[in-house]
Amino acid sequence: MDHLPINHRLRPFWRVLAFFAGAYVLLFGILGFVKSKSDLGLAWTAQDGLPWVLGLKANPAFSLLSIVVGALIVIGALIGRNIDRWINLVCGAVFLLASMLMLLFLRTDANILGFGVSTCVVSAILGLVVFTAGLYGRVGSTRLAAAEELHRHHVPAAAKAEEPVVLEEDVEEAKKD
């Protein structure tokens, strides 16, 4: 595993973090929806009297949105490949943007999701985690990784041509023949 570049070694770690972030958002959405809609009968965009769920306030609209986004992140993490990369990049950026925008609307009627300061902070943290997971989520071939490492270490073109890189794939193919 030491022959892989750092981004290939950290990819599973960030994928697991994205999964847990998505699972938290999904669980928050489900519990928030149940508590705010069925228990209290709140209006969809209520701002006052919101229940606390997993450390955040929840109204039905925010809870439903959390269910959708959390499920999307969890499904992306389970599928993997390059699908999770794009899901994490987009969802992470949306989380970050939402946290910034909701800070602007905190004490106004435009706060339709019922955000509080704690929700803005948690949304920013989750956005950073999920977005960073997207940055580490690119999947490429071993040959591409080796070429990237050669380029990163400034190996001249002549040296690349003289000293071929032996990859595990090539060794496995040679053993089969």
Side-chain angles (χ1 to χ4, degrees):
M1 186 120 165
D2 288 338
H3 66 282
L4 292 174
I6 189 77
N7 59 333
H8 288 263
R9 288 182 291 206
L10 289 176
R11 184 178 191 287
F13 170 74
W14 284 103
R15 189 171 166 194
V16 168
L17 281 182
F19 174 83
F20 283 128
Y24 172 81
V25 172
L26 180 61
L27 183 63
F28 165 78
I30 293 169
L31 294 175
F33 191 80
V34 168
K35 198 165 188 181
S36 64
K37 199 66 181 149
S38 62
D39 290 354
L40 301 175
L42 291 174
W44 280 93
T45 58
Q47 296 180 16
D48 299 319
L50 301 178
W52 286 90
V53 178
L54 298 177
L56 304 173
K57 289 186 177 183
N59 72 8
F62 181 46
S63 297
L64 188 60
L65 188 63
S66 296
I67 291 170
V68 171
V69 173
L72 187 63
I73 293 171
V74 166
I75 290 169
L78 292 175
I79 291 174
R81 297 188 298 264
N82 282 331
I83 294 169
D84 66 332
R85 174 181 191 246
W86 290 109
I87 289 173
N88 290 339
L89 286 174
V90 170
C91 289
V94 167
F95 268 109
L96 289 169
L97 183 64
S99 70
M100 301 288 182
L101 285 176
M102 289 317 231
L103 274 173
L104 292 173
F105 301 134
L106 274 182
R107 298 185 186 267
T108 67
D109 290 335
N111 187 6
I112 60 171
L113 297 177
F115 270 41
V117 174
S118 61
T119 312
C120 292
V121 170
V122 169
S123 183
I125 291 169
L126 288 173
L128 286 172
V129 168
V130 172
F131 189 78
T132 305
L135 293 176
Y136 278 98
R138 184 171 180 209
V139 179
S141 67
T142 309
R143 289 182 194 273
L144 181 62
E148 185 179 312
E149 281 297 298
L150 290 174
H151 177 73
R152 204 166 65 87
H153 293 291
H154 306 292
V155 176
K160 290 181 197 174
E162 293 175 48
E163 298 177 20
V165 178
V166 178
L167 303 173
E168 287 182 32
E169 300 172 359
D170 298 333
V171 173
E172 294 296 301
E173 285 181 24
K175 287 180 183 177
K176 290 179 186 175
D177 294 337

